[in-house]
Amino acid sequence: MSAQIISGKEVSAQVRERLKKDVEQMKLQDPNFRPGLVVLQVGDRDDSNLYISMKMKAAAEIGINATHLRLPKTATEDEVLHSIREVNENSSVHGLIVQLPLDSIHKIDTEKVTNAVAPEKDVDGLTSINAGKLSRGDLGDCFIPCTPNGCMELIRQTGVSVAGKRAVVIGRSKIVGAPMHDLLLWSHATVTTCHSKTVDLAGEVGKADILVVGIGKAEMVKGDWIKKGAVVIDCGINHIPDESKPSGKRVVGDVHFASAKEQAGFITPVPGGVGPMTVAMLMANTVLSAKRFLEGHQPGRWNISYTTLNLQKPVPSDIVISRSCVPKPIDRLAREVGLLSDEVELYGKTKAKVQLHIIKRLQKQPDGKYVVVTGITPTPLGEGKSTTTIGLVQALGAHMKLNVFACVRQPSQGPTFGIKGGAAGGGYSQVIPMEEFNLHLTGDIHAITAANNLVAAAIDARIFHESTQSDKALYNRLVPLSGEQRKFSPIQINRLKKLGIEKTDPSALTDEEITRFARLDIDPSSITWQRVLDTNDRFLRKITIGQSPTEKGYTREAQFDITVASEIMAVLALTSSLEDMRQRLAKMVVATSCSGEPITTEDLGVSGALTVLMKDAIKPNLMQTLEGTPVFVHAGPFANIAHGNSSILADKIALRLVGPEGFVVTEAGFGADIGMEKFFNIKCRYSGLRPHVVVLVATVRALKMHGGGPTVTAGMPLPKEYVEENLELLEKGCSNMRKQIENAQHFGVPVVVAVNAFKTDTEAELDLICDMAKAAGAFDAVRCFHWAEGGAGAVALGQAVQRACEAPSNFKFLYDLDLPIADKIRIIAQKIYGADDIQLLPDAQHKVELYTKQGFGSLPICMAKTHLSLSHEADKKGVPRGFILPIRDIRASVGAGFLYPLVGTMPTIPGLPTRPCFYDIDLDPETDQVNGLF
């Protein structure tokens, strides 16, 4: 009786149908996801092209996104390896095949090339790592080579159990014979491998219940060698002469089929047996790789290690603590929190940037819990918001084992070298390395400085050129001849459209249109754009520019701001994408024309260049805390002139990475009346995000100051009232905390008060603050010792925040954007500051009328006010009453998306004190270590 034919075509069709359903299931899980396969070919061999076309066709049928990457015959080994590395780093590719043989005119080490494929993408199963795992029986943690895997599938189709059977494999190649031996062995067969040196090959074959042949010799195995009823799998593909065929040859296997089928119980034909299964199993491995990828990269499923602190008493200096902790390599931290290798750009070993395309990958993922840290009205020393933010995330992560990200601002170098020092947190709650954090980081602030000053240069250059040229000459230079013709740039087309000129041919403009296009006619007195510098330099607060004779008498008064006060910094913090940033940069208003029209960077023709300068700065920076929890450091807008919050992009990415049970803790600059109010009314409007909890940081010393305590001066010892118990003074000062709790409640969000404890605080003082906070409506109030104890000292705060996230929340904005400008300012002044009313001084009243006319009246309000008092007077502590808030002027940050009223006099570039911090800063030339920074 003839053997039953095992059709590879039928079995492979079943496999492909199963794989199609698997791919559809993955798409249900993530509609944007598709398994990705790359077939890398060197040269142009006809047989390779045939095999690749079969693979590409099968991939398309199943739903795999397959790419044929063809390198020329001239490709060198290095070029092939480079291509492999690029595919290894591409997270959208789950399988990589190197089509063999490599058809190059250069010598290429095939072993080196195949082993360069990442093991997790080696769907051919040819790397030494996958082969080693297979040989040791780790079948669930490797890829099985496709031909042996297909053979096993064909054997399973017979219904014959492999366990306990005698199996013979003829051939010991790395592609078929050796892995086939391992597969049969780990399926509990007794396996003999035969090869060219085997004595009595026919005798060995005759013992086989299962025979797999892959020796590469046409019809070598004869029927009378085969045991009656055996399963015969023929992997051979050989060509022998056959004059009856048009080609003069036909394909046969390694087994003499006609005689073997009379002996065997089951047998595979050639062709139509193992061949189709090889392709099918390649697809199966690709789908398996994609499944593993999805399972291993589910947002919120972290595999993170934490760093154990070695707490010292007394607490050493910040820099000593920072250096006592060795940071994890940043690429390792990135992997731990679910970032893929091609989503991360390393900047050394301790910091990295995250690519924005991660947003698309995570777009269907639910957000985590969103927490904003703010504070009571602070002393000039600050009350530890940054330290509390870091302590809280260390508690939630390292001690409560929850996924958590901190999102904080990048500090300006002005205060770092001035009087304040760094802003990386403090004690055992820090971002590390703190030198990296405070000095340059990845150059974002320098990019903003360059972009900002390019705009400033463009403004004055344009005024100069317009004043020295006729309309025609100006137009001819703006649209110069190139190859005997003039052509508008894309940015000039945008200006034409804005002017309502629907023409693209420069020669078609009328004289009147040429004048309107070429002349911005900037009113020099209306220029609101200043140059910037990330240094405290008081002598740049008012300068005169244009003193050189080459400027032909064009001089004007100007000034510098500190870089973090630049509108471009505010744009960076509030943007949601590269395209959105491009639009915001284009909308920035820098001046007004003599006819009252707003002049934008798009009008100046510089907005595209600004986007180029900012293309890397838009990517959030990844760092870590002392205890190994992740931190995004991104943007640092001035909390007076701008909104004082880190970037929307960092928050959004972090919220998706932590998963629905995780936490993102961000910090709002200055007290709740400034940073928190702007966080809600500006940042939350543009982000669409809704916070779950407000953490309000309070300290004994600040509340005593609000109770009438003496002046606190940075760099001077604290008066005795602040280091000795004084419950009466403290209780009186708690009025400020009550007001800030009330301010948070205006937005409908639960408040947890974090009492940042200092060593001089007494038990009675800490208890009093907690009791009064709860009485004022706080969800909870807890003591925190994170400065001295790290995350362990903020576990109570973490638990309170976790509970508060489950409490009812009814978030709402403070005002409607459609209200008149003055009404929006009045609502903030009355509800948040406690003012009786506002007073619009003449400049402010003029700006209200101008901005309303120009169409900017519906923008949110970003108050520029002292952070040292709820009122406009820094020395008025507690909760001032009965005051009128004077609005000196109003300015527009149209690109960022807000108007900022100026309350009193606001310096926009700080000055250096008599003894700046830079006296202590130096570099050790032996160790390359920065000393004296903290």
Side-chain angles (χ1 to χ4, degrees), residues 768-840:
L768 177 63
I769 297 173
C770 290
D771 291 343
M772 296 197 74
K774 292 174 187 175
F779 176 87
D780 203 351
V782 295
R783 309 175 186 188
C784 304
F785 305 94
H786 44 275
W787 180 82
E789 300 175 13
V795 169
L797 176 61
Q799 292 169 340
V801 166
Q802 191 176 26
R803 291 194 304 272
C805 281
E806 305 305 323
S809 179
N810 183 30
F811 178 79
K812 55 185 178 294
F813 295 117
L814 192 66
Y815 54 79
D816 186 349
L817 289 181
D818 292 331
L819 288 173
I821 294 171
D823 288 357
K824 288 183 281 193
I825 298 171
R826 183 175 291 107
I827 289 171
I828 295 171
Q830 292 178 335
K831 289 193 175 182
I832 301 298
Y833 308 153
D836 286 349
D837 204 350
I838 62 170
Q839 179 187 14
L840 292 179

Side-chain angles (χ1 to χ4, degrees), residues 900-914:
Y900 60 99
L902 299 176
V903 182
T905 303
M906 296 298 304
T908 54
I909 185 166
L912 290 172
T914 305

